[in-house]
Amino acid sequence: MGPNLSTVISEKDLQKRIKEMGETLTDKFKNTSVLAVCVLKGSFIFFADLIRQIECDMNCEFLCMSSYGSLAHSSGEVKLIMDLNSSVQGRHVLLVEDIIDTGLTMNYLQKVLEIRKPKSVTTVTLLHKPDAKKVDCKIDLVGFKIPNDFVVGYGLDYQNQYRHLPYIARLENLN
Ligand code: 5GP
């Protein structure tokens, strides 16, 4: 039997919350110049929707992270497989993640960025699984807190499938 999908966050709820997050970030960055960083691959849809809700002076950059092992459980080791194309030194950085699970990816990224001396780093994640936390990382704004289940859709994949779904779903009957 293949996996079943059950909706966890509808398209309507996602868009409503992202609009609110955009307003919060507009208040924060109104008169600031921001370097918005999309953490690929999972964040690409959230990033595209979120930045269009933020009114400020903005540059966009992309980096790509990968965890070793490609299944539903991360191996605990992360690597940077594509770096930013521009310097973050002296910039206000807005780091946009899809999901914080153990915190390892975000913890690693925050260390990598801090060394480069940005003026500030604001961390945003669409989803957060507080119960899965293994290491600390600074999170400034969370879209939704979710239980410790494996989810897909809205950019998030399982074996590179399901990224195109406009909603977040739990994947059941995973082997
Ligand atoms: P962390 O380093 O916080 O454990 O995990 C971060 C990364 O693991 C995310 O960027 C994402 O790629 C992957 N991940 C963690 N939980 C899930 C999940 O429920 N679904 C999917 N598709 N990826 C997840």
Side-chain angles (χ1 to χ4, degrees), residues 6 11 16 20 43 50 84 98 106 126 143 166:
S6 78
E11 179 173 9
K16 182 166 171 266
E20 285 172 8
S43 304
L50 181 68
L84 301 171
D98 50 356
M106 193 48 101
L126 178 64

Side-chain angles (χ1 to χ4, degrees), residues 74 97-105 129 149-151 156-157:
S74 75
E97 255 286 23
D98 50 356
I99 184 164
I100 297 180
D101 184 29
T102 62
L104 282 161
T105 305
K129 294 182 188 172
D149 296 320
F150 193 79
V151 292
L156 288 160
D157 77 311

Side-chain angles (χ1 to χ4, degrees), residues 38-48 62-66 96-99 105 125-127 151-158 160-165 168:
C38 175
V39 183
L40 296 170
K41 295 177 185 172
S43 304
F44 75 112
I45 296 180
F46 173 49
F47 184 80
F62 303 84
L63 58 76
C64 189
M65 295 294 300
S66 169
V96 181
E97 255 286 23
D98 50 356
I99 184 164
T105 305
T125 185
L126 178 64
L127 306 174
V151 292
V152 295
Y154 200 66
L156 288 160
D157 77 311
Y158 175 65
N160 236 347
Q161 280 185 75
Y162 309 110
R163 291 194 199 273
H164 66 295
L165 300 177
I168 300 283

Side-chain angles (χ1 to χ4, degrees), residues 11 21 36 45 47-48 52 55-56 58 74 82 122 130-131 136-137 141 145 163:
E11 179 173 9
M21 295 172 87
I45 296 180
F47 184 80
R52 285 180 286 176
E55 290 169 37
C56 71
M58 183 185 287
S74 75
M82 185 186 89
T122 300
D131 298 340
D136 281 326
C137 59
L141 184 60
K145 284 187 182 160
R163 291 194 199 273

